[in-house]
């Protein structure tokens, strides 16, 4: 969901094996047996909304189609540059906007599969594409003649009488070209191209190592007795050839630590998680050091003291100082909260006769015991009320209908890339078609960790495109014949990702490059975090929280427990986030003269500097497996989750003061936030909606910090 004028390699979260077989296979896939005339990725889809036809798309179609997309865009750029007429909005900006249409369509499908259903061929293509995309983007963004034409249009804006959105588009192109280095001398541009290409390759290598480390670095347990605490369904789902494999997810803490009673197994799982990429064949330390060094060098070439200062241009925060100011405002209360949680959990350990000091691998296990005793809330007691389809249709969709009037119809005639994927058509309140929504909710080996939203087709009036949006999550898939029951955290994730989907679905722009979720990092997470609030709204919860066996609505007593426990463990939660957010900013505020020799030592000093070194609370991501910032496009941007959380709680506070779940409120939020894309200043956009600047108090209250 990054804002770019051309497709970028930052979207390549998973990368290829560097094997001879893969290289050979990729080369074969570019053979001329696949031509532009018979390649389904280059032929307009006949499916509703232009949805990709996965019955026709094969791996061998991707590389030829992507190369053709690059070729088409390069030809269109050449036409702009060679045009002898005076630069105008139409022959320069509009032509540039449409130059990427073919490439946009192809890469939207490719990167969807690269994230959610990859294989060795796709990984090989990704590896080969990384430097190609870096060069392709740089050849456009650092094209001196092209920028001169853009600058001419930009300088004449006051005389062009453009509509508001077109006027904003010109400013965005100019700003993005300048940010990319269009004003640099030719020798500096060449150096920048080299750096960008190297960063792209390193980022792909990082993603590949991390994927393999996570998939292959879990814990294998031979004795079923050591899995005490797991349900029979859980044990059945992880059984493999008579053994039991607990795979790693991408965060430091692992969900299984909550249930596992065997402390040695917990320790083993935690150690495998936190050291997965520290040493051996999956060690990413050198990649981290090289990337941060190159980013610092890039910033210097572009005239900035550090990478964060360069990267934060155009965001709500705008400068590293403002980000650190936010951290400093949150840290004292968070440390106080986590200290009280440590005491509670240590008391629980002592009560059970545990002769040991609380460690990170004990935290989730004993925190759950505290939660049960304090709030009498048992996660296993809650799960039977959260069956995936009910959560989606009677929860996520129900809230959207109440707020925005949209309705949903399941489509079984639209082909998907995997049997687990479900498709729904979405309609406006008046019955007119809005778009398509794909949901892919279960974990599998071919899918990277985490949860996300993106689009197969992006909304654009100019292109005549209605949105085709998808959400991907990683809830454990149940054994055959068992219900798909999920935790309340996973429920909130579904609401979160659908918040992104709504942002994409409600895009109402002429131009694809500024439509929907094409906003800054510290704004794009606002609609998604805001949408989480409806998961616990009584009317919504009572509609979807139905026992999978009896159909009984979740009891009021259990609902109260969930809400009462809402601020539980929030000290831990915010500290682990602050730790990672701080690591990100510390890595990206180093200067080009700083030489980092030891990643672990840098981490320790970075945490100590901000008083965030809490022995019981590790960072949510350590540097060596911090995919967001080293292979996911969030470099100097992970703080945005906390920034947008502030916006989301403040916006929900506005809803509470104005009647909560009403069509009128939903329509206002849609018109003034969700439909705006990147068409105006974000601070002004929020102020137009709320009537004032956002306040931090609602977030602190929701977190139990105030």
């Amino acid at each position: 969901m990054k804002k770019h004028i051309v497709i970028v390699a930052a979207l390549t979260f998973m990368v290829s094996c560097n094997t001879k077989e893969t290289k050979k296979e990729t080369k074969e896939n570019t053979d001329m047996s696949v031509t532009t005339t018979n390649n389904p990725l280059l032929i307009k889809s006949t499916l509703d909304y232009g949805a990709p036809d996965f019955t026709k798309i094969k791996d061998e179609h991707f590389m030829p189609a992507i190369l053709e997309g690059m070729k088409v865009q390069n030809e269109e750029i050449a036409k702009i540059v060679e045009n002898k007429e005076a630069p105008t909005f139409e022959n320069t900006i509009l032509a540039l906007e449409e130059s990427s249409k073919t490439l946009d369509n192809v890469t939207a499908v490719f990167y969807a599969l690269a994230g959610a259903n990859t294989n060795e061929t796709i990984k090989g293509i990704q590896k080969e594409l990384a430097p190609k995309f870096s060069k392709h983007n740089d050849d456009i963004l650092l094209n001196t003649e092209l920028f001169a034409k853009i600058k001419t249009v930009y300088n004449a804006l006051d005389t062009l009488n453009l509509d508001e959105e077109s006027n904003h588009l010109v400013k965005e192109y100019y700003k993005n070209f300048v940010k990319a280095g269009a004003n640099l001398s030719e020798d500096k541009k060449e150096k920048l191209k080299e750096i960008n290409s190297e960063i792209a390759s390193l980022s792909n290598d990082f993603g590949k190592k991390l994927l393999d480390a996570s998939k292959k670095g879990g814990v294998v347990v031979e004795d079923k007795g050591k899995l005490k605490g797991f349900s029979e369904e859980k044990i059945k789902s992880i059984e493999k050839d008579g053994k039991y494999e607990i795979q790693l997810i991408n965060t430091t803490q692992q969900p299984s630590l909550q249930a596992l009673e065997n402390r040695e197994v917990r320790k083993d799982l935690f150690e495998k998680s936190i050291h997965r990429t520290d040493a051996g064949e999956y060690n990413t330390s050198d990649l981290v050091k090289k990337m941060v060094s190159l980013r610092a060098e890039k910033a210097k070439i572009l005239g900035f003291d550090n990478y964060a200062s360069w990267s934060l241009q155009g965001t709500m925060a705008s400068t590293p100082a403002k980000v650190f100011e936010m951290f400093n405002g949150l840290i004292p209360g968070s440390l106080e909260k986590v200290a009280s949680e440590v005491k509670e959990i240590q008391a629980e350990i002592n009560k059970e006769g545990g002769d040991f000091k609380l460690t990170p691998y004990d935290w989730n296990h004993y925190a759950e015991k505290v939660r049960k005793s304090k709030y009498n809330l048992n996660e296993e007691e809650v799960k039977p009320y959260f069956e995936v389809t009910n959560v989606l249709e009677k929860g996520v969709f129900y809230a959207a209908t109440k707020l925005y009037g949209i309705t949903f119809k399941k489509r079984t005639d639209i082909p998907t890339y995997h049997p687990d994927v479900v498709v729904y058509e979405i309609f406006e309140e008046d019955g007119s078609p809005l778009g398509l929504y794909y949901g892919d909710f279960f974990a599998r080996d071919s899918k990277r960790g985490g949860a996300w939203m993106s689009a197969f087709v992006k909304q654009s009036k100019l292109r005549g495109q209605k949105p085709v949006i998808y959400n991907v999550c990683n809830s454990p898939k149940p054994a055959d014949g068992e219900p798909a029951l999920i935790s309340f955290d996973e429920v909130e994730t579904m609401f979160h990702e659908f918040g992104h989907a709504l942002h994409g679905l409600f895009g109402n722009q002429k131009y694809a490059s500024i439509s929907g979720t094409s906003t800054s990092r510290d704004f794009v997470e606002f609609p998604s975090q805001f949408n989480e609030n409806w998961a616990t709204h009584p009317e919504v919860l009572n509609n979807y929280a139905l026992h999978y066996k009896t159909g009984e609505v979740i009891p009021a007593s259990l609902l109260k427990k969930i809400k009462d426990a809402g601020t539980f463990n929030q000290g831990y939660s915010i500290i682990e986030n602050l730790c990672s957010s701080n690591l990100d900013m510390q890595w990206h505020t180093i200067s080009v003269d700083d030489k980092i020799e030891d990643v672990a030592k840098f981490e320790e000093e970075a945490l100590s500097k901000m008083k965030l070194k809490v022995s019981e609370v590790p960072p949510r991501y350590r540097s060596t497996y911090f995919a967001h910032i080293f292979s996911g496009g969030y470099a100097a941007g992970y703080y945005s989750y906390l920034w947008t959380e502030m916006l989301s709680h403040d916006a929900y506070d506005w809803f509470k003061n104005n009647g909560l779940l009403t069509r009128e409120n939903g329509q206002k939020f849609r018109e003034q936030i969700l439909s705006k894309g990147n068409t105006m200043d974000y601070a002004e956009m929020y102020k137009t909606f709320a009537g004032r600047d956002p306040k931090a108090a609602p977030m602190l209250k929701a977190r139990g910090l105030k």
Side-chain angles (χ1 to χ4, degrees):
M1 291 170 291
K2 264 191 106 168
K3 175 183 62 182
H4 281 290
I5 56 175
V6 286
I7 296 296
V8 295
L11 295 174
T12 57
F13 289 97
M14 303 197 321
V15 292
S16 72
C17 295
N18 193 18
T19 62
K20 292 180 181 178
E21 291 78 13
T22 302
K23 287 183 178 179
K24 180 182 177 184
E25 189 174 23
T26 303
K27 183 176 184 299
E28 290 173 352
N29 287 340
T30 64
D31 287 348
M32 290 310 295
S33 58
V34 179
T35 69
T36 57
T37 56
N38 66 9
N39 192 319
L41 289 163
L42 297 171
I43 300 168
K44 186 174 177 60
S45 172
T46 59
L47 297 179
D48 290 351
Y49 302 90
D53 190 345
F54 289 106
T55 64
K56 298 177 181 177
I57 297 167
K58 309 298 180 189
D59 290 346
E60 58 264 28
H61 295 135
F62 285 119
M63 183 60 87
I66 291 170
L67 294 179
E68 177 65 17
M70 289 182 179
K71 178 186 171 191
V72 169
Q73 186 168 29
N74 287 336
E75 289 171 350
E76 294 301 312
I77 298 293
K79 288 178 186 176
I80 298 171
V81 171
E82 293 165 7
N83 191 339
K84 301 301 182 185
E85 298 178 5
T88 65
F89 175 80
E90 288 74 17
N91 69 22
T92 302
I93 304 299
L94 193 57
L96 180 55
E97 173 74 14
E98 287 301 273
S99 68
S100 67
K101 183 176 179 179
T102 299
L103 190 56
D104 290 347
N105 292 340
V106 177
T107 51
V109 179
F110 176 71
Y111 285 117
L113 268 60
N117 199 35
T118 195
N119 57 45
E120 292 306 309
T121 300
I122 290 175
K123 292 176 189 177
I125 295 170
Q126 278 187 283
K127 178 72 172 178
E128 193 171 336
L129 281 176
K132 291 181 187 295
F133 267 124
S134 178
K135 181 180 185 303
H136 181 72
N137 289 329
D138 284 343
D139 285 347
I140 296 172
L141 291 165
L142 300 178
N143 185 315
T144 303
E145 293 83 1
L146 177 61
F147 178 62
K149 288 178 175 281
I150 293 170
K151 190 173 184 179
T152 298
V153 178
Y154 175 79
N155 288 337
L157 265 180
D158 291 344
T159 67
L160 297 181
N161 296 317
L162 298 174
D163 62 81
E164 193 174 339
E165 185 180 333
S166 299
N167 192 70
H168 188 79
L169 184 72
V170 176
K171 292 178 180 177
E172 282 296 295
Y173 272 109
Y174 180 78
K175 180 183 73 178
N176 287 331
F177 269 70
V178 170
K179 182 177 180 180
N183 276 325
L184 295 175
S185 62
E186 293 305 314
D187 60 325
K188 286 186 176 180
K189 284 181 181 178
E190 289 306 311
K191 180 61 178 175
L192 190 60
K193 288 179 183 180
E194 292 175 14
I195 291 173
N196 287 342
S197 179
E198 189 171 356
I199 290 173
S201 294
L202 292 170
S203 177
N204 273 333
D205 291 344
F206 183 98
K208 168 67 175 90
K209 283 179 179 284
L210 176 54
L211 177 66
D212 289 345
S214 297
K215 294 299 181 187
K216 300 172 185 177
V219 170
V220 176
V221 177
E222 297 187 14
D223 180 2
K224 183 180 175 181
K226 291 185 176 180
L227 299 177
K228 188 177 179 183
F230 279 0
S231 66
E232 283 301 317
E233 291 82 4
K234 171 73 172 178
I235 292 172
K236 191 189 298 184
S237 71
I238 64 172
E239 186 175 1
K240 205 173 189 179
D241 301 325
K243 297 179 182 178
Y244 307 90
E245 183 180 358
I246 308 173
Q247 288 196 338
L248 300 179
I249 68 164
N250 52 339
T251 53
T252 296
Q253 284 287 13
Q254 302 294 302
S256 295
L257 292 170
Q258 184 181 76
L260 282 168
E261 294 188 18
N262 188 299
R263 193 166 188 244
E264 287 306 309
V265 176
R266 289 204 309 271
K267 180 180 180 180
D268 191 16
L269 180 59
F270 179 81
E271 293 292 333
K272 288 282 178 62
S273 173
I274 203 163
H275 296 301
R276 73 185 86 174
T277 43
D278 278 359
E281 62 177 312
Y282 304 131
N283 190 350
T284 62
S285 298
D286 286 343
L287 296 175
V288 169
K289 289 186 289 185
K290 286 177 186 175
M291 270 191 274
V292 295
S293 177
L294 285 167
R295 285 171 178 168
E297 187 178 356
K298 174 177 178 173
K300 183 177 181 180
I301 291 172
L302 289 162
F304 289 83
D305 292 337
N306 53 63
Y307 183 86
S309 295
W310 170 81
S311 179
L312 289 173
Q313 296 174 86
T315 64
M316 288 188 77
S318 73
T319 67
K322 286 189 179 178
V323 176
F324 282 115
E325 183 181 333
M326 178 185 71
F327 293 167
N328 287 327
L330 292 172
I331 289 171
S334 302
L335 289 173
E336 188 177 330
K337 177 77 171 172
V338 84
S340 68
E341 291 170 357
V342 168
K343 289 178 181 177
E344 277 189 311
I345 295 171
Q346 186 64 58
E348 182 70 24
I349 292 171
N350 297 343
K351 186 177 77 174
E352 291 197 359
D355 186 22
F356 54 85
K357 185 178 181 294
L358 171 65
T359 69
Y361 55 85
D362 296 314
W363 188 291
N364 284 359
H365 183 68
Y366 286 95
E368 177 64 7
K369 291 176 181 287
V370 171
R371 183 169 67 159
K372 286 178 185 177
S373 62
K374 192 171 183 178
Y375 302 102
N376 196 23
L377 182 63
N378 184 335
E379 188 69 59
E380 294 306 314
E381 182 186 5
V382 168
K383 275 187 177 182
Y385 292 94
F386 299 136
E387 191 277 326
V388 163
T389 302
N390 273 345
V391 172
L392 180 67
E393 296 183 346
K394 298 181 179 181
V396 174
F397 291 172
Y398 177 79
T401 299
K402 284 288 186 180
L403 287 165
Y404 311 111
I406 57 177
T407 54
F408 303 80
K409 176 186 176 184
K410 193 166 188 178
R411 294 286 297 266
T412 56
D413 59 327
I414 302 287
T416 62
Y417 57 84
H418 191 277
D420 286 349
V421 180
V422 291
V423 183
Y424 294 83
E425 186 172 9
I426 306 178
F427 301 91
E428 295 280 17
E429 195 166 25
D430 63 5
S432 59
L434 175 61
L436 285 180
Y437 170 77
Y438 292 60
D440 182 0
F441 302 115
F442 299 121
R444 54 179 171 268
D445 287 345
S446 62
K447 183 190 289 188
R448 69 176 176 88
W452 64 95
M453 163 269 175
S454 196
F456 289 124
V457 180
K458 204 170 183 186
Q459 182 274 333
S460 167
K461 293 177 184 176
L462 179 65
R463 297 180 182 178
Q465 295 176 178
K466 290 185 179 293
V468 179
I469 304 295
Y470 63 89
N471 278 163
V472 182
C473 298
N474 266 284
S475 297
K477 188 173 182 179
D480 289 344
E482 298 295 334
L485 306 180
I486 58 178
S487 69
F488 188 68
D489 280 347
E490 289 163 332
V491 169
E492 289 188 313
T493 296
M494 288 179 68
F495 275 84
H496 176 103
E497 295 307 330
F498 196 73
H500 283 309
L502 289 169
H503 202 184
L505 288 162
F506 289 156
N508 191 32
Q509 281 64 59
K510 186 185 299 183
Y511 308 112
S513 67
I514 55 174
S515 172
T517 57
S518 299
T519 66
S520 70
R521 283 295 191 199
D522 59 6
F523 192 83
V524 78
E525 294 295 336
F526 163 37
S528 55
Q529 296 206 66
F530 168 77
N531 205 55
E532 291 180 34
N533 288 292
W534 304 114
T536 52
H537 186 280
E539 182 181 347
V540 179
L541 192 64
N542 287 334
N543 197 64
Y544 75 83
L546 309 173
H547 197 283
Y548 78 98
K549 285 183 178 178
T550 66
E552 173 198 8
V553 175
I554 191 168
S557 57
L558 194 51
L559 170 58
K560 185 177 185 302
K561 290 177 187 178
I562 292 173
K563 297 190 82 169
D564 288 347
T567 60
F568 177 71
N569 217 35
Q570 287 300 308
Y572 184 100
S573 174
I574 199 166
I575 288 291
E576 68 166 357
N577 188 314
L578 280 165
C579 285
S580 291
S581 298
N582 175 57
L583 284 178
D584 175 26
M585 292 305 295
Q586 297 286 353
W587 277 121
H588 292 111
T589 50
I590 65 171
S591 78
V592 73
D593 299 319
D594 293 322
K595 304 300 178 189
I596 311 301
E597 301 295 337
D598 188 320
V599 171
K601 183 180 178 184
F602 179 89
E603 275 192 359
E604 189 160 336
E605 291 174 351
L607 295 175
S608 297
K609 187 188 302 184
M610 296 294 288
K611 298 185 172 62
L612 283 169
K613 189 159 174 45
V614 181
S615 62
E616 300 88 354
V617 187
R620 184 170 176 81
Y621 303 97
R622 290 188 61 222
S623 305
T624 56
Y625 51 88
F626 205 162
H628 284 78
I629 67 171
F630 292 121
S631 68
Y634 268 81
Y638 193 71
Y639 78 91
S640 61
Y641 286 99
L642 288 171
W643 188 279
T644 52
E645 184 183 344
M646 173 188 69
L647 297 179
S648 71
H649 284 299
D650 191 63
Y652 191 64
D653 195 55
W654 181 93
F655 269 74
K656 284 194 283 189
N657 293 329
N658 289 275
L660 279 175
L661 192 74
T662 69
R663 273 290 290 116
E664 184 181 4
N665 288 345
Q667 194 64 26
K668 178 179 171 70
F669 192 66
R670 174 177 178 172
E671 290 175 357
Q672 297 180 352
I673 299 290
L674 296 177
S675 68
K676 289 295 186 183
N678 171 22
T679 60
M680 63 184 293
D681 178 82
Y682 304 120
E684 287 302 312
M685 190 187 299
Y686 188 85
K687 198 168 185 177
T688 299
F689 163 70
R692 52 168 176 73
D693 292 327
K695 298 178 294 188
M699 171 186 167
L700 298 176
K701 183 178 179 182
R703 286 276 195 169
L705 304 179
K706 185 175 181 179

